[in-house]
Amino acid sequence: MKTKQEQEDHEHGHDAEEGHSHDDGHDHDHDHGGSEPAGWKSHWDLLLALVILVTMIVLRFGFHFVPTKWVDFGIHAVAFILAGWRVLDLAFRKAKRGDIFNEFVLMSVATIGAFYIGSYSEGVAVMVFYCIGEWFQDAAVDRAKRNIKALLDIRPDKVTVVRNGQTQVIEPSETQLNETIQVKPGEKVALDGELLSETASFNTAALTGESKPDTKYKGESILAGMINLNTVAEVKVTALFKDSKLSKILEMVQDATARKSQTQLFISRFAKVYTPIVFFLALAVALVPYFFVQDYVFNVWFYRALVFLVISCPCALVVSIPLGYFGGIGLASRNGILFKGGNFLDVMTKINAVVMDKTGTLTKGVFNVQKVVANGIDEKDLIRITAALEKNSTHPVGQAVVKYAVDKIGNTTATNVEEVAGHGLKGTVDGKEVLAGNLKLMKKFGVDYPAETEGIVDTIVVTAIDKKFAGYITIADEIKEDAVSAVKAMHDLNIKTVMLSGDKQTVVDNVAKQIGIDEAYGDLLPEGKVEKVQGLKNAGKHIAFVGDGVNDAPVVALADAGIAMGGLGSDATIETADVVIQNDQPSKIVSAIRIGKITRTIVWQNIILAMAIKVVVLILGAGGIATLWEAVIADVGVALLAILNAVRIQKIKV
């Protein structure tokens, strides 16, 4: 709830605490009536002031017409009030609260001071060009925020729902769980659901950044934001409108613009210290020479102090830096990468080691049974019993066994099922104790198995019945198409690559060799992964961990940046990861690092540009060389250059 003062400010159109802020925060009160439209009609007074200023300059220098002092003062005063009433109003209200060290008071003092010494046109020019610069800055920031929101705000306004055999067009928010919706060719899916039609093709570009069609089959998940490409598709709603993956992503991206980077926080703190220092330095420029200069003239040194105040305005920094981070977040979103804040863009620039999970990150996680070897039991029985136990597992390896045994399992069920973390499952099938998992499970329960099984390269599910080895099933995963090129690109950036997996070492070594991974560790339990990552941190590495963000939560928490692959498939992933890669491509890890580096480079270009030019003009102003004209042109010019530099981030290809 707003305070009474805040409500009063908002009614004036300049609420510095509640209105639009350039860095979406409240640290430096850099707001200029963001509740107003950015069009020229809302700035008619500023444009009229500009016309008056230009007219007076043309009359003076073009036609050598100089009105009397009071006429000259009156005309410029009208232009000054038209241009600067918003700034003067906000400066007055802030000063009334005791907040005098801000840019509004700074500009008010500088321009009123110019009028005091008779530099009317300079005073109007400072206020006019300052306000024009602020207008452009507000427009640039608003546009950047709108671009980010529009990037993912693709939810349709209407949805066709099937009720009582009839179709109705309603609001998506009115749709209930388990209802059936129809999606016509060319329409966007409004809600998450399960495909009821036999098959349908969808364009997922808005969600993943990839425009190639994705064919879905009956029973597969369909997500809000996908576009149906061919036939009418029927979808059963599995999540309410507010709970869809797309809604969660929208919230995440909007939150990202509010989560500041260390650079933004530093500049905000810097501006709070910098502005009062500038005030006192300007005061010193005006008064200190009295004690050292023989022919001291107050108006001369006061004018130099005004130049000092104008050029020292920190607008270029407090505007262009958050704008740069908005641009980086927008660029990443367009490439199917979601950053949870500008701070993570900074983190990615320091990454020199990428630790990756194997399954689902570097491999597709689509396992298929390759070979079944039974020992003292019929092969069909081995498959049936193992699949009955694996039905209780969500692991891709177990699901591959169940899929293979779909026509062999019958009514066989497992009871008393227990999961042995990192090892496999234990349960009862056909009245017998069954173990199904890796070789570590066999060792844990003292089951003897043939020595040759140790040398099998593929992933294997070993089964024991009543503590006796009953055979094994080999399963192979497929490496993702861009995994090799992604790892090579990381090496080109001098980034160390490490793969961690719970799979046996032979499988891990085989995958690592094919992809080109520097170091690969298998047979790891969750605590083993934490130990490896901690070892890298102790060696001074800045680590990004790439996995599903759920099962590997301890490692994600330990890493400098947690990156989730395929975040659209998991609510928990979206909530726990720092960065979400939407299309499962390892190459996007490199894109995320590059976007972080691009953003940081442009932000620092702006900081150096602004500070360098300001220091030069400050020195020239204090020395009496630069005038108010140079000061305002330098201030507004630097701000606009910084804005243009920040805006170009969104057009860069990675």
Side-chain angles (χ1 to χ4, degrees), residues 146-201:
R146 284 198 305 271
N147 285 347
I148 290 172
K149 191 172 186 298
L151 205 58
L152 288 169
D153 198 3
I154 50 175
R155 296 169 294 188
D157 298 325
K158 302 291 180 183
V159 63
T160 304
V161 64
V162 180
R163 288 177 176 169
N164 302 319
Q166 302 292 320
T167 58
Q168 292 179 242
V169 178
I170 61 172
E171 298 284 335
S173 57
E174 296 174 5
T175 310
Q176 302 298 313
L177 289 175
N178 298 318
E179 283 196 305
T180 299
I181 60 172
Q182 279 189 355
V183 187
K184 297 171 185 174
E187 281 187 343
K188 292 172 185 171
V189 180
L191 301 141
D192 291 357
E194 177 186 310
L195 186 63
L196 297 177
S197 305
E198 289 300 321
T199 182
S201 291

Side-chain angles (χ1 to χ4, degrees), residues 474-539:
T474 65
I475 295 162
D477 194 3
E478 190 177 342
I479 293 171
K480 291 182 179 178
E481 289 84 354
D482 65 333
V484 175
S485 60
V487 170
K488 183 180 182 302
M490 290 179 212
H491 290 158
D492 290 342
L493 293 172
N494 294 317
I495 293 172
K496 181 185 182 73
T497 56
V498 180
M499 183 168 70
L500 305 180
S501 178
D503 282 353
K504 62 181 183 176
Q505 191 65 50
T506 52
V507 174
V508 173
D509 287 341
N510 184 44
V511 172
K513 184 178 178 181
Q514 293 181 62
I515 296 175
I517 295 284
D518 294 326
E519 295 177 11
Y521 302 96
D523 298 313
L524 293 175
L525 297 175
E527 55 267 29
K529 293 182 179 182
V530 170
E531 186 182 323
K532 294 295 182 186
V533 171
Q534 186 62 60
L536 287 167
K537 290 203 77 169
N538 292 343

Side-chain angles (χ1 to χ4, degrees), residues 24-296:
D24 207 21
H26 315 291
D27 299 284
H28 48 72
D29 299 315
H30 195 292
D31 178 78
H32 307 277
S35 58
E36 297 180 0
W40 66 269
K41 288 182 181 178
S42 65
H43 291 83
W44 65 269
D45 44 5
L46 175 58
L47 295 174
L48 180 57
L50 177 62
V51 170
I52 294 172
L53 174 65
V54 171
T55 301
M56 294 302 290
I57 292 172
V58 169
L59 287 174
R60 174 166 297 193
F61 296 103
F63 297 93
H64 305 290
F65 171 76
V66 181
T68 62
K69 181 179 179 180
W70 287 108
V71 171
D72 194 25
F73 172 81
I75 293 172
H76 281 99
V78 169
F80 178 70
I81 293 169
L82 283 170
W85 68 269
R86 295 178 177 88
V87 174
L88 295 169
D89 175 53
L90 190 53
F92 173 73
R93 286 186 287 113
K94 282 182 172 292
K96 197 166 62 174
R97 297 179 208 171
D99 178 12
I100 60 171
F101 297 121
N102 58 75
E103 66 185 82
F104 309 108
V105 174
L106 184 152
M107 278 295 147
S108 298
V109 169
T111 50
I112 292 171
F115 268 74
Y116 168 75
I117 60 174
S119 299
Y120 307 141
S121 59
E122 284 98 326
V124 174
V126 168
M127 188 60 80
V128 166
F129 288 114
Y130 171 75
C131 291
I132 288 175
E134 295 303 301
W135 178 10
F136 287 149
Q137 290 163 14
D138 285 337
V141 172
D142 287 339
R143 184 182 173 214
K145 287 189 173 183
R146 284 198 305 271
N147 285 347
I148 290 172
K149 191 172 186 298
L151 205 58
L152 288 169
D153 198 3
I154 50 175
R155 296 169 294 188
D157 298 325
K158 302 291 180 183
V159 63
T160 304
V161 64
V162 180
R163 288 177 176 169
N164 302 319
Q166 302 292 320
T167 58
Q168 292 179 242
V169 178
I170 61 172
E171 298 284 335
S173 57
E174 296 174 5
T175 310
Q176 302 298 313
L177 289 175
N178 298 318
E179 283 196 305
T180 299
I181 60 172
Q182 279 189 355
V183 187
K184 297 171 185 174
E187 281 187 343
K188 292 172 185 171
V189 180
L191 301 141
D192 291 357
E194 177 186 310
L195 186 63
L196 297 177
S197 305
E198 289 300 321
T199 182
S201 291
F202 296 89
N203 181 333
T204 63
L207 298 173
T208 65
E210 299 296 320
S211 58
K212 67 178 184 179
D214 185 3
T215 301
K216 299 288 185 180
Y217 298 94
K218 186 174 182 178
E220 290 192 315
S221 293
I222 306 299
L223 299 174
M226 292 181 173
I227 301 173
N228 188 14
L229 294 177
N230 42 31
T231 58
V232 175
E234 291 201 339
V235 177
K236 183 174 79 172
V237 177
T238 57
L240 296 174
F241 184 67
K242 64 183 177 65
D243 298 324
S244 69
K245 305 292 189 301
L246 183 59
S247 293
K248 291 180 183 296
I249 291 168
L250 275 168
E251 289 171 15
M252 190 185 85
V253 175
Q254 290 301 101
D255 289 344
T257 63
R259 189 174 299 179
K260 298 180 185 178
S261 69
Q262 289 301 312
T263 309
Q264 285 173 270
L265 292 171
F266 166 74
I267 290 298
S268 294
R269 290 192 297 267
F270 171 77
K272 281 190 171 184
V273 175
Y274 169 86
T275 308
I277 289 174
V278 163
F279 266 92
F280 289 117
L281 285 176
L283 196 61
V285 169
L287 301 178
V288 171
Y290 172 79
F291 301 100
F292 302 100
V293 178
Q294 192 171 3
D295 55 347
Y296 173 82

